[in-house]
Amino acid sequence: MANPAHAVPADHAAAPTQSYFMSWLMTTDHKRIGVLYGLSAICFFVLGGIEALVIRTQLAAPGQHIVDAATYNALFTMHGTTMIFLGVMPMSAAFFNYLIPLQIGARDVVFPRLNAFSFWLFLFGAIVLNVPFLLTPFVDMRVIPDGGWFGYATLTEKTYTPGASIDFWICGLQILGVASMAAGFNFIVTIFNLRAPGMSLLRMPVFTWMTLVVQFLVVLSFPCITIALVLLMFDRLFGTHFYMPEGGGDPLLWQHLFWLFGHPEVYILILPAMGIVSEVLPTFSRKPLFGAPFVIFSGITIGLLGFGVWSHHMFTTGLGATSDAAFSVTTMLIAIPTGVKIFNWLATIWGGQLRLTTSMLYALGFVCMFTMGGLSGIMHASPPVDLQQQDSYFVVAHFHYVLFGGAVFGLLSGIYYWFPKMNGRFLSESWGKVIFWILFVGFNTTFFPMHIVGAAGMPRRIYTYDAGLGWETPNLIETVGAFTIAVGVLFFVIDLVRSIRSTSGPLAGPNPWDGSSLEWVTESPPKVHNFDVTPTVYSERPVWEKNYGPGPGYSLPTVEEHIHLPPPSIRPFYLATGVAWFLVSWLVAGQFFTFGVCSALVAVCVILYSCVSWFLEEGH
Amino acid sequence: MLAPRRLLARLFAVVGSVLPLALVAGCGSSTMSTIEGHSDLTRSILDIYGTIFWIDLFLFVLVQGILIVAVIKFRATGKETAPPEQVHGNLQMEVGWTIAPVLILLVIAIPTVSFIFDSQAQAKDDALVVNATGKQWWFKFEYPGYSFETANEIHVPLGRQVDVRLQSDNVIHAFWAPQIAAKRDMVPGRVNHITFTADTVGTFLGQCAEYCQDSHALMKFRVMVDTPEDFEKWANHEKQPVADTNEASDGFKAFQGATCIACHAIAGSSAQARVGPNLTHVGSRTRIAAGLLENNEANLKLWLKDPSAVKPGEGRNGVGMPNLNLTDEQITTLVAYLQSLK
């Protein structure tokens, strides 16, 4: 899409003949795609939560048999995979999609159809991962992924996991990988090219900055897992030996490739939440972000260092002293930019006028619990301590403090902050605060005791345990906490649905929270084309400065603009179908080889047809 | 710095004030507690653990303290007429909280790096070598210096360095005995080492820590630390073949007839297969089924009747002990025979 200023008039905006359903299927509007990501993420978050509840019920007391060992192993595999790839990542993607064009003063992303393609492919990948739950009753083999979210070879090789479970996992993750890569490039190009006049890089909102860093992490790290999965697929399908020592392979090759993706992935999950918190804390403190350039450069540093620490997941694998020492030191280095961020957030609220809205409570909760997760992280950055904590419940406590207390609380803060922008009306503030406290108490009740039970030597990924090791009480408390979280999430979903459907309640107006970035210029909810005229930006806090000085903040040119919007298109859906079909064919080939290969060839035809018709489509 | 023991007592005082979990700390050898060390290796881990714990506690109180004070002190009253002072940053403070963590991390990094190199140094020449192999789902232990093999129970002498050589010929497992040996992975195609010198006589628990499918949760072992004399006595007994090598006995015939002989070895007899655990002195072990059950008549019967009912996945996919559909009569004979293998 060209720069809007030079574009043709908007005559394709919405074809009136489309049904409501088709209008969503064919949408190329970044806001609607953002909503699709957000709603899917909430559905999968609930699904992953139900899996967690079964896990916690099983572990409530020693020696229980609510589910058998095989089912339990499938549940923790799917819980991890779901929460990471289908819960937190798409919820972040929802914010990227909805907010980035608004924050940089653009009408859409650079490649709107590619954006739609990413979403549909994500949805297909999510379905492939979860469809085994429905297949299980009808087939005579294990089909639910059960190799752990980390899928360590040699366990995931055909010799040790002969069913189709790992094939579903490989296929689902490959589809999700393509979706993430496409979205990653799309947002990098968008952020670099579509910023409003005057918005230099250092005037970009911190959330946009963190999004940019995350997209680089995505496009640099996902190829690692793609390669790892292709090699695993070759081992399983064609009998190669990339990870099998019998054939000269090495199971640690998998771990290197996986964690070279897996550790940046942690920052892919947490940096968007850090970006959100860096927007919410200043707004509700009525102050600028303290040391904004330092917060931004810390985010970049965390992203860069994130590629140099992967082997800290492998301290117990015997890489040798030099390697352990090097990766230990690089891991500790990450504590420095992380600490800088935390202290800057504290300095931001210090001396402010704090309005404790629900969004602000979640942001403060983020700082509180992310700090906790960071501090426990320093412990296993030290290999001697890691030799005791690795694969114990202490680590489970650690990363839930980072990813639930951190990422999820940050995302919830963002939902409460931007919901009025998206919906035009607020989520219930009074319910919101109740839900916050339920989740805060429930979260700590669930995950704090995991430190204790981990220090008492309880390994991860065990479906049962014996009495008498001091593990009973903490486990019971954890289960109570898990159900408390479930109550909080239930209330949240009820309030969300009610608020979306509600036609009463106060209107938000363009800038309900006295925010400072460009999305607060436009109406709530924003018009299809976001801005009538593209604003010119003079400050890193355009809206605040416009209202309070000292500078002009931003200005709206009076020149008439031609607004070009991408017309709806079904091509992204077709192409996503083709790509997903192609990858599913290899999953099928695991059981029915010839049929799978033929199916892959047909899929290639679908892909070619979709591509050609995509290129030839008018109006783009 | 405080001595580890006192430090840990304090650690639990802190933790105990949050949750009533004093039960984690006590109980001596019958726990998996990671904050109790009974070897040079685990004690030096605890020193570093303690240092980091105190630093973490300090930082935790600092950050949460500032957060709480800020929220109380700077809460909006609703009566403000103008926004607060718009402070954009402060270079000195940024430099300060960039350098301070570097200094704190040095306090952690220096002992960490020195531990890494010390703990992975070559074992001494007179160290006791034990080859440990992870299986689905049990541990095989070989003592090359004494030429015998046992399973799921490793005996080591007090005060002598032990070099456990960890390997696997199937999937990845991890050897984790928190109070004696900490943790290292058993990776197919590699040999990893754990070296330690135990300093307390007793029985210590261990468990596989790397997910290895169905019965991962039930893959346990024990480390018995003996006095040097007791250890020699045990090792010399273990390397003896069975006393009764009469292969015409009812017991051995049942052992052959039920096809046990296809997988298990009994030194000194014609049973030499090495697929399952070596049963030469199975009667003298304290536990069966990879540390899961006490070694007694009832449990042996339970195990032989249907192994997968005790440990899920046994016999599935050609892994572990299959259900041999033994008759009650066969089981009774076999149990008596196995118990006689002292």
Side-chain angles (χ1 to χ4, degrees):
Chain A
M1 194 178 97
N3 184 319
H6 313 272
V8 294
D11 46 5
H12 306 282
T17 48
Q18 281 166 15
S19 68
Y20 184 70
F21 175 76
M22 285 305 282
S23 77
W24 283 95
L25 199 67
M26 294 171 68
T27 187
T28 49
D29 178 352
H30 70 97
K31 296 181 287 299
R32 295 187 108 189
I33 293 170
V35 169
L36 287 171
Y37 265 116
L39 294 178
S40 323
I42 289 172
C43 293
F44 286 113
F45 180 77
V46 169
L47 184 63
I50 292 168
E51 286 154 9
L53 288 180
V54 180
I55 290 172
R56 282 305 340 151
T57 310
Q58 168 91 348
L59 294 180
Q64 293 212 100
H65 289 282
I66 316 268
V67 291
D68 61 21
T71 311
Y72 182 89
N73 295 341
L75 282 172
F76 75 66
T77 301
M78 285 308 294
H79 168 72
T81 308
T82 300
M83 287 307 198
I84 290 167
F85 293 100
L86 315 181
V88 174
M89 277 184 78
M91 188 44 97
S92 303
F95 286 108
F96 303 155
N97 273 282
Y98 205 100
L99 287 170
I100 294 304
L102 289 170
Q103 284 204 325
I104 62 174
R107 296 238 153 74
D108 207 309
V109 295
V110 167
F111 309 116
R113 287 182 297 173
L114 189 65
N115 205 19
F117 166 78
S118 291
F119 171 75
W120 294 114
L121 208 49
F122 152 75
L123 192 64
F124 293 149
I127 290 168
V128 169
L129 276 173
N130 282 287
V131 91
F133 281 111
L134 305 175
L135 286 178
T136 302
F138 307 107
V139 290
D140 187 23
M141 64 167 118
R142 291 188 185 174
V143 284
I144 308 174
D146 56 356
W149 93 275
F150 49 95
Y152 274 8
T154 54
L155 186 70
T156 44
E157 293 280 359
K158 199 104 187 158
T159 320
Y160 302 105
T161 310
S165 59
I166 302 298
D167 300 322
F168 273 101
W169 184 74
I170 294 173
C171 179
L173 288 191
Q174 291 291 45
I175 296 174
L176 293 173
V178 179
S180 297
M181 289 290 286
F185 286 116
N186 206 346
F187 280 97
I188 290 173
V189 180
T190 300
I191 292 171
F192 278 136
N193 288 291
L194 291 193
R195 276 170 290 136
M199 186 181 279
S200 61
L201 283 176
L202 275 178
R203 282 183 188 162
M204 276 193 334
V206 178
F207 177 72
T208 303
W209 255 112
M210 291 307 113
T211 305
L212 182 62
V213 175
V214 165
Q215 305 312 329
F216 272 104
L217 294 183
V218 167
V219 300
L220 292 173
S221 70
F222 267 77
C224 301
I225 192 174
T226 304
I227 292 165
L229 289 167
V230 167
L231 300 185
L232 183 59
M233 186 187 97
F234 273 43
D235 275 11
R236 291 181 62 86
L237 216 52
F238 306 119
T240 54
H241 292 99
F242 288 104
Y243 307 121
M244 294 287 269
E246 294 90 317
D250 186 350
L252 290 192
L253 172 63
W254 168 271
Q255 295 193 21
H256 283 296
L257 287 171
F258 183 82
W259 290 118
L260 196 45
F261 149 79
H263 202 80
E265 172 70 16
V266 176
Y267 301 118
I268 292 171
L269 299 173
I270 193 69
L271 285 173
M274 287 179 162
I276 290 169
V277 168
S278 302
E279 302 278 322
V280 170
L281 290 175
T283 295
F284 292 112
S285 308
R286 298 174 64 79
K287 278 180 65 193
L289 180 63
F290 194 91
F294 290 91
V295 176
I296 291 167
F297 281 113
S298 298
I300 298 171
T301 314
I302 290 173
L304 287 174
L305 285 175
F307 282 99
V309 298
W310 77 91
S311 282
H312 71 210
H313 297 270
M314 302 165 63
F315 282 151
T316 61
T317 57
L319 295 179
T322 313
S323 164
D324 286 355
F327 281 96
S328 168
V329 171
T330 54
T331 304
M332 288 181 193
L333 287 180
I334 285 204
I336 298 167
T338 311
V340 168
K341 283 200 168 213
I342 289 172
F343 282 111
N344 276 300
W345 289 325
L346 292 176
T348 301
I349 61 172
W350 194 267
Q353 291 164 3
L354 308 189
R355 290 174 292 163
L356 297 184
T357 58
T358 308
S359 175
M360 182 66 161
L361 287 178
Y362 279 111
L364 294 168
F366 171 96
V367 177
C368 165
M369 288 183 289
F370 177 77
T371 301
M372 182 86 182
L375 291 174
S376 57
I378 294 177
M379 288 191 160
H380 30 262
S382 175
V385 183
D386 189 66
L387 296 187
Q388 295 288 24
Q389 293 180 342
Q390 188 256 6
D391 273 338
S392 80
Y393 260 86
F394 195 94
V395 171
V396 181
H398 159 72
F399 67 73
H400 279 96
Y401 268 86
V402 174
L403 294 182
F404 192 155
V408 173
F409 270 60
L411 292 168
L412 281 165
S413 173
I415 291 174
Y416 276 88
Y417 187 57
W418 281 300
F419 185 83
K421 174 55 62 188
M422 299 172 180
N423 190 52
R425 294 174 204 277
F426 297 86
L427 283 165
S428 163
E429 275 294 305
S430 45
W431 269 105
K433 285 172 191 166
V434 172
I435 294 165
F436 167 79
W437 285 111
I438 295 175
L439 287 181
F440 187 83
V441 171
F443 171 82
N444 284 292
T445 314
T446 310
F447 296 105
F448 190 80
M450 289 188 186
H451 293 111
I452 317 254
V453 84
M458 180 163 168
R460 291 170 77 175
R461 306 177 182 126
I462 56 172
Y463 78 95
T464 189
Y465 57 93
D466 284 345
L469 296 167
W471 301 349
E472 300 95 320
T473 320
N475 270 293
L476 184 60
I477 295 170
E478 288 160 18
T479 303
V480 172
F483 280 91
T484 315
I485 295 175
V487 171
V489 172
L490 181 69
F491 286 172
F492 171 75
V493 171
I494 291 171
D495 187 45
L496 186 71
V497 172
R498 206 197 50 178
S499 303
I500 291 172
R501 294 162 59 103
S502 165
T503 49
S504 59
L507 288 170
N511 190 3
W513 310 120
D514 212 0
S516 63
S517 40
L518 279 188
E519 74 268 29
W520 307 111
V521 171
T522 184
E523 293 150 40
S524 306
K527 300 179 253 251
V528 172
H529 55 279
N530 294 354
F531 302 95
D532 288 333
V533 286
T534 306
T536 304
V537 177
Y538 304 105
S539 152
E540 75 277 12
R541 293 202 298 160
V543 179
W544 175 276
E545 293 212 355
K546 182 104 179 162
N547 294 338
Y548 299 96
Y554 69 95
S555 66
L556 297 170
T558 47
V559 211
E560 190 87 353
E561 266 185 37
H562 292 301
I563 297 167
H564 171 79
L565 282 178
S569 169
I570 194 69
R571 309 297 162 200
F573 184 80
Y574 287 168
L575 184 57
T577 310
V579 172
W581 182 350
F582 178 77
L583 289 165
V584 168
S585 301
W586 294 106
L587 154 64
V588 175
Q591 303 301 324
F592 314 100
F593 189 79
T594 320
F595 179 75
V597 172
C598 295
S599 165
L601 291 174
V602 179
V604 169
C605 299
V606 175
I607 293 172
L608 287 174
Y609 166 76
S610 314
C611 284
V612 171
S613 64
W614 176 308
F615 295 139
L616 298 178
E617 199 170 15
E618 282 181 36
H620 286 275
Chain B
M1 205 166 48
L2 289 168
R5 206 161 262 289
R6 261 184 71 206
L7 184 145
L8 291 168
R10 293 235 190 132
L11 189 153
F12 271 97
V14 174
V15 169
S17 64
V18 185
L19 285 167
L21 290 164
L23 52 128
V24 178
C27 314
S29 64
S30 63
T31 74
M32 288 279 289
S33 175
T34 58
I35 49 174
E36 218 185 290
H38 293 289
S39 72
D40 59 340
L41 179 77
T42 51
R43 283 183 202 275
S44 51
I45 288 175
L46 282 177
D47 285 343
I48 298 173
Y49 205 147
T51 309
I52 304 178
F53 176 81
W54 287 113
I55 292 172
D56 268 4
L57 190 65
F58 166 75
L59 292 172
F60 179 80
V61 172
L62 180 75
V63 171
Q64 312 293 9
I66 297 174
L67 190 65
I68 291 166
V69 170
V71 170
I72 294 169
K73 195 169 164 197
F74 298 108
R75 203 167 162 175
T77 56
K79 296 187 194 115
E80 295 89 350
T81 50
E85 193 194 344
Q86 300 295 295
V87 185
H88 285 264
N90 179 319
L91 188 63
Q92 281 89 17
M93 288 172 84
E94 300 290 348
V95 172
W97 59 52
T98 308
I99 291 179
V102 176
L103 300 177
I104 293 174
L105 288 173
L106 276 177
V107 178
I108 301 173
I110 290 168
T112 292
V113 171
S114 93
F115 171 93
I116 292 170
F117 284 94
D118 290 351
S119 66
Q120 298 189 31
Q122 191 94 38
K124 291 178 197 148
D125 288 341
D126 66 341
L128 171 72
V129 175
V130 182
N131 291 330
T133 309
K135 298 280 188 178
Q136 278 177 315
W137 294 272
W138 57 283
F139 291 90
K140 179 165 94 174
F141 295 119
E142 291 163 294
Y143 287 70
Y146 295 83
S147 314
F148 68 84
E149 181 187 314
T150 179
N152 304 323
E153 287 179 3
I154 168 177
H155 284 249
V156 298
L158 186 76
R160 177 173 164 198
Q161 193 181 45
V162 182
D163 175 13
V164 187
R165 297 182 179 172
L166 304 161
Q167 46 219 301
S168 165
D169 56 7
N170 46 92
V171 303
I172 302 175
H173 303 276
F175 180 91
W176 187 25
Q179 291 161 35
I180 292 291
K183 180 188 303 120
R184 221 166 255 295
D185 292 353
M186 309 168 114
V187 184
R190 291 180 168 247
V191 180
N192 283 333
H193 294 259
I194 289 185
T195 48
F196 61 85
T197 310
D199 58 24
T200 312
V201 170
T203 301
F204 301 94
L205 302 184
Q207 186 160 353
C208 176
E210 188 59 69
Y211 170 60
C212 54
Q213 239 168 27
D214 294 33
S215 272
H216 163 58
L218 308 178
M219 184 174 163
K220 304 174 185 197
F221 64 99
R222 276 158 197 249
V223 182
M224 276 84 164
V225 180
D226 299 334
T227 60
E229 302 75 44
D230 284 352
F231 173 78
E232 286 301 327
K233 216 159 82 188
W234 173 81
N236 285 319
H237 176 70
E238 284 285 315
K239 74 178 184 193
Q240 302 297 324
V242 280
D244 176 18
T245 49
N246 176 11
E247 300 200 359
S249 71
D250 285 352
F252 194 83
K253 276 199 286 195
F255 191 78
Q256 276 177 311
T259 66
C260 311
I261 195 164
C263 295
H264 294 281
I266 296 172
S269 78
S270 60
Q272 293 296 333
R274 304 190 66 200
V275 179
N278 185 306
L279 297 178
T280 309
H281 296 286
V282 65
S284 65
R285 289 180 206 153
T286 61
R287 314 285 289 184
I288 57 162
L292 187 64
L293 300 174
E294 205 178 312
N295 187 0
N296 60 32
E297 191 183 336
N299 284 336
L300 277 166
K301 282 184 171 166
L302 197 68
W303 175 246
L304 292 179
K305 188 86 196 161
D306 183 4
S308 68
V310 179
K311 278 170 69 191
E314 290 284 340
R316 186 183 163 273
N317 195 15
V319 168
M321 171 111 162
N323 185 344
L324 297 166
N325 297 312
L326 303 174
T327 62
D328 288 344
E329 197 186 341
Q330 277 176 305
I331 290 175
T332 312
T333 318
L334 277 171
V335 168
Y337 178 63
L338 292 173
Q339 287 191 309
S340 75
L341 298 174
K342 295 278 185 192

